[in-house]
Amino acid sequence: MRKGEVVSSSVEQSVIAACSFCLKPNTEVSTLVAGPGVFICASCVKLCQQVVDAKSGSVPQLAPWEHVHELEEVLAALPRVATTSVQVEENLAGWVRRARELGASWTRIGDALGMARQSAWERFSGEE
């Protein structure tokens, strides 16, 4: 998926990505837009626009988990958050592979990621 690419949902479509904000999969939203390693659905875009348009202080600025007060709801969210984490990691690995294909050294990749060359190699090379 490229930045700005739109994933439309349909009944027959399989889950290929989830909104990085609300965690709903592409099969449960009308439109999902791809960014660099993240995705956002139309509903979250609308919410973001409301936040941007809101006067300072009129929109709560709490982390999503701060809004949840029931243990079962928190536990239900954990698999979706983990799935999103896997999705982001796969996207990052894809970007690293592409950088290598274009001739980037492990040193330059490590620098771009704020880690040592060796750490980048160990995490993304697939070699042991």
Side-chain angles (χ1 to χ4, degrees), residues 33-57:
V33 180
V38 295
F39 301 87
I40 188 167
C41 70
S43 297
C44 287
V45 168
K46 190 179 293 184
L47 176 62
C48 290
Q49 190 60 56
Q50 291 170 352
V51 170
V52 168
D53 291 344
K55 302 233 183 296
S56 177

Side-chain angles (χ1 to χ4, degrees), residues 9-60:
S9 69
S10 69
V11 175
E12 339 44 75
Q13 189 178 33
S14 63
V15 174
I16 58 171
C19 178
S20 301
F21 296 86
C22 68
L23 308 176
K24 290 181 183 171
N26 60 289
T27 55
E28 294 180 18
V29 298
S30 61
T31 305
L32 193 61
V33 180
V38 295
F39 301 87
I40 188 167
C41 70
S43 297
C44 287
V45 168
K46 190 179 293 184
L47 176 62
C48 290
Q49 190 60 56
Q50 291 170 352
V51 170
V52 168
D53 291 344
K55 302 233 183 296
S56 177
S58 64
V59 176

Side-chain angles (χ1 to χ4, degrees), residues 6 11 21 24 35 38 47 51 57 67 73 88-90 93 100:
V6 175
V11 175
F21 296 86
K24 290 181 183 171
V38 295
L47 176 62
V51 170
H67 295 283
E73 191 175 349
V88 169
E89 187 66 21
E90 288 172 354
R100 291 289 294 158

Side-chain angles (χ1 to χ4, degrees), residues 21-121:
F21 296 86
C22 68
L23 308 176
K24 290 181 183 171
N26 60 289
T27 55
E28 294 180 18
V29 298
S30 61
T31 305
L32 193 61
V33 180
V38 295
F39 301 87
I40 188 167
C41 70
S43 297
C44 287
V45 168
K46 190 179 293 184
L47 176 62
C48 290
Q49 190 60 56
Q50 291 170 352
V51 170
V52 168
D53 291 344
K55 302 233 183 296
S56 177
S58 64
V59 176
Q61 302 296 316
L62 298 175
W65 52 87
E66 296 296 331
H67 295 283
V68 181
H69 302 289
E70 300 294 327
L71 175 59
E72 293 308 313
E73 191 175 349
V74 171
L75 293 174
L78 292 178
R80 294 191 313 267
V81 173
T83 298
T84 300
S85 176
V86 169
Q87 176 179 297
V88 169
E89 187 66 21
E90 288 172 354
N91 277 298
L92 179 57
W95 282 98
V96 169
R97 275 192 309 277
R98 185 64 181 142
R100 291 289 294 158
E101 290 167 359
L102 294 172
S105 67
W106 286 112
T107 299
R108 290 200 58 200
I109 291 169
D111 288 346
L113 293 172
M115 62 175 60
R117 172 201 62 79
Q118 184 67 26
S119 297
W121 180 84

